[in-house]
């Protein structure tokens, strides 16, 4: 039974190219473990950037054919997407090698450090990255296991979703989508928000209540989020946006283009980012950092040079007077926040969204219609392409066009274009100077290439 990171040395990841899996793989390699893995996206003779980056870290990568699993392997890690029928799982069972889920391993790793667990239905990766930057600049030498690549680390040629420091603090994301948030017992628990996403609200409240009860020390919530504040342990420890109840409240917010200004406890902050939600995330990071002994001036200097994370309002550039922004937004609250964050940048926002998964789209259909409709100004537009299908046995009884028809019924400018490869041709007459083109979607590995190619051909 694996209960401690000292209980294994040679670990194999099935699905190692996934963002959550690759982060833990790199973290363990940085802590002296022998790490290897396979992935269904690895093909003979075909270049794979993630594979190259993992191998550069000393992580051996194999085809998903069982060849990487040997008698020396003493732990197998699987993601929630890996089913028991996968050949490598069967081989591991035949060899009697312990098999655990990614989230179980992350909880074991978290027990080995003083852990800050960042939870909530939106903003986990961004807030984790901001917190990591602050702790790094404060000479805390932190570690991070993230759900997205940090631009500052990506610049080093790495995937960017993990870093190993010599200090005692580890920052992780506590994910509610698979229920694993209940497995962590962090030193500090941070709850950013509770909005309908993968589960019904009652289920989310139950999960985050367990997360709160499992937190050993400081528990910090967002006083400006209606549901999150119901779980507050002490408002004086909490953060908020123009909220008098919160000990750390962002005030005097102003967005000038891609530049944000605000104050917390009379300390002035500046950031290169957009949107109120970015300020809320930053204030969450400030609240935690200040309460573990980092002064506000250090926080301000750090956030001023924060470079962002992969596909979170990533600015692809400007062409012909049109700004193009790529964003990971995928639930109703995130899509609405992303659209609103772009509105101060231009007279008109044209947003495109590719929903992910038939089940999630069906579950959130009415919320998508309501929240996106509410976010759009009269001059703005929303375009959607068909739902991304990742395989499996999903019932395809809903279309992205159903969302578009619902938004149209509310009097908004909404358009469906089944094949996203025809999007640019359809949009070109609309893309006049003074427009922002916002591209939204998640979990489709082809989205990054699609967005960059669209920008290149603008």
């Amino acid at each position: 039974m694996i209960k401690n990171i000292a209980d294994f040395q040679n670990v194999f990841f099935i699905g190692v190219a996934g963002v959550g899996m690759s982060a833990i793989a790199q973290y363990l390699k940085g802590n002296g473990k022998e790490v290897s893995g396979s992935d269904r996206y690895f093909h003979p003779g075909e270049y794979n950037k993630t594979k190259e980056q993992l191998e550069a870290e000393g992580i051996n990568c194999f085809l998903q054919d069982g060849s990487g699993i040997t008698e020396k392997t003493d732990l197998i890690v699987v993601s929630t997407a890996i089913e028991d029928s996968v050949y490598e799982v069967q081989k591991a069972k035949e060899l009697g090698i312990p098999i655990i889920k990614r989230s179980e391993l992350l909880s074991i790793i978290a027990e080995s450090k003083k852990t800050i667990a960042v939870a909530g239905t939106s903003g986990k990766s961004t807030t984790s990255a901001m917190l990591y930057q602050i702790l790094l600049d404060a000479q805390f030498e932190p570690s991070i296991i993230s759900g997205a690549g940090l631009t500052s680390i990506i610049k080093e040629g790495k995937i960017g979703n993990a870093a190993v420091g010599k200090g005692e603090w580890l920052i992780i994301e506590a994910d509610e989508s698979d229920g694993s948030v209940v497995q962590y017992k962090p030193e500090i628990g941070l709850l950013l928000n509770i909005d309908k996403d993968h589960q019904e609200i009652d289920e989310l409240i139950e999960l985050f209540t367990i997360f709160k009860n499992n937190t050993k020390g400081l528990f910090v919530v967002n006083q400006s989020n209606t549901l999150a504040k119901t779980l507050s342990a002490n408002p004086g420890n909490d953060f908020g946006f123009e909220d008098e109840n919160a000990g750390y409240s962002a005030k005097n917010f102003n967005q000038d283009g891609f530049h944000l200004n605000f104050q917390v406890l009379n300390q002035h902050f500046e950031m290169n980012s957009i949107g109120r939600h970015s300020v809320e995330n930053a204030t969450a990071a400030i609240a935690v950092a200040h309460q573990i002994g980092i002064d506000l001036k250090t926080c301000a200097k750090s956030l001023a040079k924060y470079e962002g994370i992969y596909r979170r309002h990533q600015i692809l550039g400007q062409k012909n007077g049109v700004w193009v922004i790529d964003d990971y937004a995928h639930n109703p609250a995130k899509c609405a926040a992303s659209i609103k964050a772009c509105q101060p940048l231009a007279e008109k926002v044209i947003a495109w969204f590719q929903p992910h998964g038939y089940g999630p789209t069906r579950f959130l259909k009415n919320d998508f219609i309501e929240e996106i409709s509410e976010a759009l100004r009269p001059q703005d537009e929303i375009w959607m392409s068909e739902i991304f299908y990742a395989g499996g046995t999903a019932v395809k009884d809903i279309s992205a066009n159903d969302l578009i028809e619902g938004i149209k019924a509310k009097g908004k400018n909404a358009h469906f274009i089944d094949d996203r490869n025809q999007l640019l041709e359809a949009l070109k007459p609309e893309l006049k100077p003074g427009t922002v083109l916002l591209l939204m979607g998640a979990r489709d590995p082809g989205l990054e290439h699609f967005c960059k190619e669209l920008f290149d051909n603008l």
Side-chain angles (χ1 to χ4, degrees):
M1 188 71 173
I2 306 293
K3 293 184 177 178
N4 190 289
I5 60 168
D7 291 343
F8 63 90
Q9 178 57 30
N10 195 316
V11 56
F12 187 91
F13 289 79
I14 304 175
V16 72
V19 67
M21 296 281 271
S22 63
I24 298 177
Q26 292 167 88
Y27 178 85
L28 290 176
K29 183 64 183 177
N31 277 284
K33 302 293 184 184
E34 291 299 317
V35 183
S36 53
S38 65
D39 202 277
R40 66 190 171 106
Y41 289 110
F42 298 162
H43 301 294
E46 189 177 298
Y47 174 73
N48 184 287
K49 185 179 180 182
T50 303
K51 180 174 180 282
E52 181 183 70
Q53 291 170 314
L54 289 170
E55 289 178 335
E57 298 289 316
I59 296 168
N60 294 320
C61 294
F62 297 87
L63 301 179
Q64 210 167 69
D65 59 5
S67 58
I69 299 172
T70 70
E71 285 79 2
K72 290 182 180 177
T73 309
D74 50 21
L75 180 64
I76 300 285
V77 186
V78 295
S79 69
T80 49
I82 303 298
E83 298 169 341
D84 280 354
S85 58
V86 171
Y87 172 68
E88 289 184 309
V89 175
Q90 296 298 319
K91 182 174 180 180
K93 286 181 177 178
E94 286 171 18
L95 293 172
I97 304 169
I99 303 171
I100 64 173
K101 285 193 162 57
R102 181 199 69 86
S103 57
E104 292 176 66
L105 179 55
L106 183 54
S107 69
I108 290 169
I109 292 169
E111 285 292 310
S112 70
K113 303 280 278 186
K114 286 178 78 172
T115 296
I116 303 168
V118 182
T121 46
S122 303
K124 293 186 289 293
S125 297
T126 300
T127 306
S128 296
M130 290 174 174
L131 199 44
Y132 173 75
Q133 185 69 54
I134 293 171
L135 267 63
L136 195 66
D137 292 335
Q139 311 298 316
F140 275 48
E141 298 188 77
S143 299
I144 186 170
I145 296 173
S146 174
L150 281 67
T151 301
S152 58
I153 304 176
I154 290 171
K155 283 182 173 179
E156 300 170 17
K158 300 174 186 288
I159 297 172
N161 54 353
V164 178
K166 296 175 184 175
E168 59 184 354
W169 289 103
L170 166 66
I171 300 162
I172 67 167
E173 294 180 35
D175 193 2
E176 81 292 339
S177 66
D178 59 2
S180 61
V181 66
V182 302
Q183 296 181 14
Y184 310 113
K185 294 174 181 171
E187 195 76 24
I188 297 174
L190 174 58
L191 178 58
L192 301 173
N193 39 53
I194 304 175
D195 296 299
K196 190 175 175 184
D197 191 349
H198 302 277
Q199 295 103 327
E200 294 287 0
I201 294 297
D202 289 350
E203 293 176 58
L204 290 170
I205 293 285
E206 186 178 344
L207 290 172
F208 290 128
T209 300
I210 296 170
F211 173 63
K212 173 185 176 179
N213 294 336
N214 283 347
T215 299
K216 299 171 188 172
L218 181 67
F219 190 70
V220 177
V221 308
N222 185 354
Q223 283 285 329
S224 297
N225 182 266
T226 305
L227 294 171
K229 72 178 181 182
T230 64
L231 296 181
S232 175
N234 179 350
N237 300 333
D238 296 340
F239 70 100
F241 185 92
E242 296 283 0
D243 197 304
E244 295 303 323
N245 293 321
Y248 297 83
S249 180
K251 297 181 178 178
N252 302 322
F253 164 62
N254 178 58
Q255 179 176 334
D256 182 11
F258 294 95
H259 196 70
L260 302 177
N261 289 276
F262 61 101
Q263 288 182 319
V264 177
L265 296 176
N266 297 317
Q267 171 67 50
H268 181 72
F269 287 85
E270 294 183 16
M271 284 173 58
N272 293 314
S273 191
I274 58 174
R276 166 184 162 160
H277 64 291
S278 297
V279 172
E280 284 193 25
N281 292 336
T283 309
I286 293 161
V288 172
H290 191 247
Q291 290 177 88
I292 60 172
I294 300 173
D295 65 80
L296 294 175
K297 279 191 177 176
T298 301
C299 293
K301 284 181 184 176
S302 183
L303 289 172
K305 64 179 185 181
Y306 168 69
E307 295 181 83
I309 57 175
Y310 169 73
R311 289 204 65 234
R312 268 56 167 194
H313 278 131
Q314 191 171 2
I315 300 162
L316 299 184
Q318 186 185 39
K319 269 189 185 176
N320 307 320
V322 177
W323 283 103
V324 182
I325 296 174
D326 180 15
D327 192 45
Y328 192 77
H330 60 280
N331 71 24
K334 288 178 183 174
C335 289
S338 195
I339 291 167
K340 288 177 181 176
C342 291
Q343 287 167 343
L345 302 174
E347 191 58 40
K348 181 176 184 177
V349 174
I350 297 177
W352 171 83
F353 175 51
Q354 176 183 271
H356 172 272
Y358 287 88
T361 305
R362 189 185 311 111
F363 178 63
L364 295 167
K365 175 186 171 185
N366 293 334
D367 302 87
F368 272 124
I369 292 168
E370 291 294 330
E371 299 210 32
I372 291 176
S373 297
E374 190 276 325
L376 293 170
R377 299 171 299 186
Q379 67 269 37
D380 296 333
E381 298 179 16
I382 178 73
W383 292 64
M384 290 189 198
S385 295
E386 195 51 278
I387 297 164
F388 173 67
Y389 173 56
T393 56
V395 178
K396 299 179 182 179
D397 60 352
I398 187 168
S399 165
N401 194 35
D402 295 329
L403 276 57
I404 289 297
E405 290 300 325
I407 295 168
K408 270 187 191 172
K410 292 187 172 289
K412 302 293 181 173
N413 298 316
H415 310 273
F416 177 67
I417 186 150
D418 184 10
D419 181 358
R420 70 186 187 191
N421 294 315
Q422 296 170 6
L423 177 68
L424 184 57
E425 188 181 341
L427 279 183
K428 271 193 170 173
E430 306 292 322
L431 295 174
K432 298 179 172 64
T435 301
V436 167
L437 176 58
L438 169 65
L439 306 168
M440 302 184 292
R443 300 190 180 93
D444 173 357
L447 271 174
E448 176 189 16
H449 176 73
F450 165 73
C451 295
K452 285 182 177 174
E453 188 175 46
L454 187 147
F455 175 71
D456 290 342
N457 293 320
L458 197 63

